[in-house]
Amino acid sequence: MTKHKYPLPFIFFILFIMTLFSCQDESILEDNIITEAYTETEVSNSVEGMVRIKFNKERIDDLSISLKSGTLSSKISNIDSILNAIGAISFKRTFPYSGKYEDRTIENGMHLWYDINYDTCQVSLVNVLNNFVNLTEVEITEPIRKIISPAYSIKKFDPVPITQTLKSTTLSTNDYPFNDTF
């Protein structure tokens, strides 16, 4: 009988460890991702003075918007400091309260989206987006895109003379006469 170089329990232990780490969920790594900052080229087709944000579900309960002495207050200190720094004019839900359908709105997470209008003289769109991008209270920050109509051209038709239109409605010599027995 030959002696094994590694004992059998050690081989099973190594296989167990390899199996354990191979079935690891990747979502653990996604929580620590820091979103990259916006640049001027990314926001070139966006509306200045408007930003759309989506709050985390855990922090939306703390949110209460009020207007005190000309400044917006949200009862979340990080958001309040940014709103004051950018000169926020309005802070409202993207999808307004929907009455009897509000339960569906909350179920689909539509109550988490807010539009912020701010003073463009104080700060640029890129700076506003970068202020919100790494907050723990904010899940998504995005600019409002401009609506660009597709390029199209209107083709002008020449008017058709009346004599030509009348020719198409009159009988020619080869046409059979209308003969309806009923």
Side-chain angles (χ1 to χ4, degrees):
M1 182 175 200
T2 61
K3 202 163 196 176
H4 294 287
K5 188 174 182 180
Y6 296 107
L8 198 57
F10 180 73
I11 293 173
F12 283 123
F13 177 74
I14 296 297
L15 288 174
F16 174 73
I17 295 297
M18 288 175 44
T19 306
L20 183 68
F21 284 107
S22 67
C23 297
Q24 172 174 309
D25 188 15
E26 297 295 326
S27 65
I28 296 170
L29 300 174
E30 292 175 6
D31 293 340
N32 297 328
I33 293 174
I34 297 175
T35 311
E36 294 182 17
Y38 285 91
T39 61
E40 287 289 337
T41 55
E42 292 175 335
V43 297
S44 61
N45 290 334
S46 302
V47 178
E48 279 285 334
M50 291 183 73
V51 174
R52 183 166 290 150
I53 63 173
K54 180 183 180 186
F55 285 102
N56 284 333
K57 288 183 180 181
E58 294 83 29
R59 295 306 304 257
I60 196 69
D61 296 332
D62 299 340
L63 187 68
S64 174
I65 302 156
S66 63
L67 182 64
K68 293 180 183 175
S69 66
T71 59
L72 287 169
S73 175
S74 66
K75 293 191 179 177
I76 301 174
S77 61
N78 292 342
I79 301 294
D80 286 343
S81 63
I82 293 175
L83 290 176
N84 292 332
I86 65 173
I89 299 167
S90 72
F91 184 76
K92 61 182 180 178
R93 278 177 60 167
T94 304
F95 306 100
Y97 180 76
S98 56
K100 68 179 184 178
Y101 302 109
E102 185 65 15
D103 292 338
R104 273 194 263 171
T105 303
I106 292 172
E107 182 181 320
N108 292 317
M110 294 168 60
H111 68 295
L112 303 172
W113 289 93
Y114 282 81
D115 289 339
I116 301 172
N117 292 339
Y118 63 92
D119 186 12
T120 56
C121 296
Q122 288 187 5
V123 67
S124 70
L125 178 60
V126 173
N127 290 340
V128 172
L129 291 170
N130 291 334
N131 283 335
F132 283 109
V133 82
N134 287 326
L135 287 179
T136 57
E137 295 86 3
V138 176
E139 189 175 324
I140 298 173
T141 304
E142 62 184 22
I144 309 288
R145 305 284 182 206
K146 290 179 184 175
I147 299 173
I148 301 173
S149 299
Y152 62 90
S153 62
I154 299 173
K155 187 175 181 182
K156 204 170 189 180
F157 293 105
D158 294 330
V160 179
I162 292 181
T163 56
Q164 188 176 5
T165 59
L166 291 176
K167 285 181 185 177
S168 65
T169 59
T170 59
L171 292 173
S172 65
T173 57
N174 295 337
D175 288 338
Y176 292 102
F178 180 73
N179 187 9
D180 188 11
T181 56
F182 296 102

